[in-house]
Amino acid sequence: MKMINFKKMLFASLTIIALAGCTQDDDYKIAAFTPLLFTEDFPSTDGLDNTVLNLTDWKNFAQTGTVVWKNQIYQGNGYAEFTSYQAPDAVSVGWLISPPIDMDANDGEKLVFQSSQSYVSSAANKLEVLISTDYDGTNFATATWLPLQANLPTRDATYFLFQESGIIDLSSYTGNAYVAFKVTGSGTNTTLDGSYQIDNVRVYY
């Protein structure tokens, strides 16, 4: 049986791995990625652990079900997590959409981030990374969302071990772009109630 406080179970043995593990935001090396157009490290403020993620200009909502992204903190590092574990919903689909990112001010924009998984046992319990340039900031269903190819954790990835997304080329997009992290799972189907974590989102040129 899963432990409710499962994030504490494995982190202790993983944090010694630089950048691949649960990386302290101050230690995440971005010198090669400057100048930055956008950055998000997620709050690490006391009292915000395991609370609904509420960031200025970000959209955090459930498309299906009741589960939304939460802020989590481990050893001073904040990150975003989506888990449908123990939720009452047969289907859980949660979106986390970034603020608008101006793609016209510079050339050669690129996206990087870190992600990890825990207890994911089915390909149907998935994390997707999407981009839109016609999203109006409100009506996500009428916008065109295109998938971005990223290095995402597989089912056999070590739990809570953050990995690099790889460099994702955004240079072909114009106007205001929105990057979305979308997870599909289930609270009632135990093969689909795994978790995904996101941290250190950067757009640079």
Side-chain angles (χ1 to χ4, degrees), residues 8-204:
K8 302 294 194 287
M9 186 171 66
L10 291 171
F11 268 13
S13 62
L14 301 176
T15 51
I16 61 172
I17 303 176
L19 294 182
C22 185
T23 310
Q24 294 287 339
D25 295 329
D26 289 343
D27 295 334
Y28 187 62
K29 305 303 182 185
I30 62 172
F33 298 158
T34 53
L36 292 171
L37 294 177
F38 176 80
T39 180
E40 181 57 64
D41 295 328
F42 301 103
S44 56
T45 307
D46 290 343
L48 292 181
D49 187 35
N50 202 35
T51 61
V52 172
L53 190 62
N54 184 16
L55 298 173
T56 301
D57 296 329
W58 283 78
K59 302 295 183 182
N60 177 17
F61 62 93
Q63 177 183 352
T64 306
T66 59
V67 178
V68 295
W69 288 78
K70 287 189 174 182
N71 195 74
Q72 300 287 1
I73 303 171
Y74 183 74
Q75 293 190 344
N77 179 60
Y79 57 96
E81 180 179 67
F82 185 94
T83 179
S84 53
Y85 177 56
Q86 293 189 329
D89 311 307
V91 179
S92 299
V93 180
W95 289 68
L96 184 63
I97 304 176
S98 77
I101 303 168
D102 185 358
M103 306 300 289
D104 293 335
N106 300 280
D107 296 322
E109 299 91 344
K110 299 174 179 64
L111 166 69
V112 292
F113 61 92
Q114 293 178 311
S115 61
S116 64
Q117 66 91 3
S118 53
Y119 302 103
V120 173
S121 59
S122 169
N125 187 187
K126 61 184 177 179
L127 168 66
E128 299 172 83
V129 186
L130 309 165
I131 190 169
S132 176
T133 55
D134 62 1
Y135 174 56
D136 62 6
T138 302
N139 300 306
F140 84 97
T142 62
T144 302
W145 294 97
L146 301 174
L148 294 173
Q149 298 302 311
N151 178 35
L152 300 176
T154 60
R155 284 170 283 171
D156 59 353
T158 302
Y159 294 168
F160 300 107
L161 185 62
F162 278 87
Q163 63 186 50
E164 307 298 330
S165 63
I167 298 173
I168 303 165
D169 185 9
L170 303 182
S171 61
S172 64
Y173 297 97
T174 59
N176 283 330
Y178 296 80
V179 175
F181 299 96
K182 176 186 176 184
V183 175
T184 301
S186 172
T188 59
N189 183 341
T190 57
T191 64
L192 301 174
D193 67 349
S195 307
Y196 286 97
Q197 299 82 33
I198 297 293
D199 201 1
N200 295 315
V201 181
R202 307 279 191 267
V203 177
Y204 66 98

